[in-house]
Amino acid sequence: MLTAPATRRISSGPATVLPAATMLTFLAASSAPTPLYRVYQARWAFSSGMLTVIFGVYAVCLLLALLTVGSLSDHVGRRPVILGALALDAVAMLVFSTADGVPLLIAARMVQGIATGAATGALAAAILDAERPHGPIVNSVAPIAGLAVGGLGSAALVQFLPWPRQTVYLVLLVVFAVEAIGTIVVTETSPMMPGARQAIRPNVGIPAAARSAFAAIALLDIAAWALGGFYLSLGPSLIRVVTGSNSILLGGLLVFTLAAAGAATIWLLRTVAASRVMRFGAAALAIGIAVTIAATQTGSQALLFAGTLIAGTGFGASFQGVTRTVFPLAPAAERGKLVAAFYVLSYLAFSIPAVAAGVIATSVSLLTTATGYGVVLIALAVTALIPRRPR
């Protein structure tokens, strides 16, 4: 009797660590340009509005890729999608390292957004394939930890090493190459179901069972992601205005503080009830942003970092709380379109308010813009704390 050829097995450790590390690298690469935005601005003399457009196109392209090829790896395998995304992001790194003006920066961010969106679904699925019990928490921590590593690591490379506009991207190219080799070596984990053509059609919707909860978490989700978008686009500019310091490392440290606090909070609160986590997140967001506004008015660097730390815990708790509240409510057959709807809301909140803030900052001061932005986010977070009648 004929038997199937033996399938190569590996331990769940490498099978989990490699996609988690790759996801972290993708998100680190996405935040790597943040400390450089001021360098680009000084070199090519573009406005805060254009800076946030450069930032915003990444989020839009990521969302489009996530909606179209986010589940493609279920049909063609994890490995081809991950390798294709790594190749695309490597192209983005090359474009960044050779950019001589705003058009190439926008092009690099667009390619990077497509690559990250394509990789996110495949990497998240690969992590779940290898580590069912802890996969969801790994998928929550790795992206935000990546933002932290990218923000601080990029700032350190720019501050202390030569060729500030090239070094960080060349380092990331090397890391991507190593991860590509690892992806080739690791055994494919997807059964590769038919229906790839249908999979690339966006399927967005909110199942009836989740509509009330989705409406309840929407404002908090918008507040959390809009805060992240502001820090990753205008955060380094804000710290320069508040403190008067031209240190690139300080701007990267601000981004690191927000994202690292968020990642740590997700991990520490992973066993706490989702409703309590969400309430804590809303309160921490409101308090942290209020402290940050006070820092912008007093010029206190210590207060600015304290407010960012508190707001970062709110960012992480809100993200974990809303996903754990809403995602389980959808039947398994409709969960994919609910996740898609959640990310549509989240990435639009991540990009559109930040772009609007950049445009407004060209007419009024960045401090005034940041204050108004913060007040709106506090109002959204406080609204999430108001008890609602169960439906």
Side-chain angles (χ1 to χ4, degrees):
M1 183 175 68
L2 295 175
T3 58
T7 302
R8 182 157 46 99
R9 300 288 183 184
I10 62 170
S11 68
S12 62
T16 305
V17 171
L18 178 62
T22 305
M23 182 179 286
L24 187 148
T25 305
F26 268 98
L27 273 297
S30 76
S31 63
T34 296
L36 279 161
Y37 283 147
R38 278 176 42 210
V39 176
Y40 294 140
Q41 247 186 319
R43 189 176 183 88
W44 296 315
F46 54 83
S47 67
S48 296
M50 180 54 68
L51 186 157
T52 51
V53 168
I54 296 169
F55 166 80
V57 295
Y58 161 82
V60 173
C61 290
L62 185 153
L63 177 59
L64 292 175
L66 192 62
L67 291 176
T68 52
V69 299
S71 62
L72 188 61
S73 69
D74 291 337
H75 307 275
V76 302
R78 314 293 185 220
R79 186 161 42 192
V81 176
I82 294 170
L83 289 173
L86 283 167
L88 268 181
D89 222 357
V91 170
M93 297 302 102
L94 289 172
V95 176
F96 271 125
S97 65
T98 58
D100 58 0
V102 170
L104 281 181
L105 287 182
I106 292 176
R109 285 297 272 176
M110 292 176 71
V111 174
Q112 187 178 49
I114 295 169
T116 307
T120 299
L123 290 167
I127 292 168
L128 290 172
D129 292 341
E131 190 62 64
R132 284 282 178 183
H134 305 295
I137 195 69
V138 174
N139 278 325
S140 297
V141 172
I144 301 181
L147 295 177
V149 171
L152 185 59
S154 173
L157 291 174
V158 172
Q159 184 82 39
F160 299 118
L161 293 184
W163 309 303
R165 292 186 296 113
Q166 289 83 30
T167 301
V168 62
Y169 303 120
L170 297 178
V171 169
L172 285 166
L173 268 174
V174 173
V175 177
F176 283 143
V178 172
E179 289 171 344
I181 294 170
T183 302
I184 292 170
V185 171
V186 170
T187 305
E188 177 61 65
T189 58
S190 172
M192 290 181 282
M193 302 178 295
R197 187 171 297 178
Q198 289 76 18
I200 63 175
R201 296 174 183 172
N203 186 18
V204 180
I206 305 171
R211 285 173 190 163
S212 177
F214 194 94
I217 62 91
L219 294 182
L220 179 59
D221 187 58
I222 291 170
W225 285 75
L227 177 69
F230 186 91
Y231 267 82
L232 285 167
S233 57
L234 295 172
S237 298
L238 180 65
I239 198 167
R240 179 178 60 83
V241 172
V242 171
T243 68
S245 171
N246 287 315
S247 170
I248 292 174
L249 186 62
L250 204 58
L253 186 59
L254 188 73
V255 173
F256 174 84
T257 301
L258 180 83
T265 301
I266 290 173
W267 176 258
L268 292 172
L269 300 183
R270 65 191 183 279
T271 60
V272 179
S275 58
R276 293 178 60 191
V277 172
M278 195 161 61
R279 288 195 297 272
F280 171 79
L285 267 181
I287 294 169
I289 295 170
V291 173
T292 303
I293 291 174
T296 64
Q297 302 303 310
T298 60
S300 169
Q301 178 177 310
L303 204 58
L304 180 61
F305 275 91
T308 299
L309 181 68
I310 298 168
T313 65
F315 174 65
S318 298
F319 175 63
Q320 187 201 113
V322 298
T323 55
R324 287 173 54 198
T325 297
V326 172
F327 288 177
L329 297 178
E334 297 182 282
R335 195 163 295 148
K337 67 180 184 180
L338 174 62
V339 172
F342 170 78
Y343 278 111
V344 167
L345 176 68
S346 300
Y347 278 107
L348 290 178
F350 189 63
S351 55
I352 292 176
V355 172
V359 172
I360 294 169
T362 62
S363 301
V364 300
S365 71
L366 181 58
L367 287 181
T368 301
T369 302
T371 300
Y373 197 95
V375 168
V376 172
L377 297 192
I378 290 172
L380 294 178
V382 169
T383 301
L385 290 169
I386 299 173
R388 287 175 172 77
R389 182 180 303 173
R391 292 177 59 184

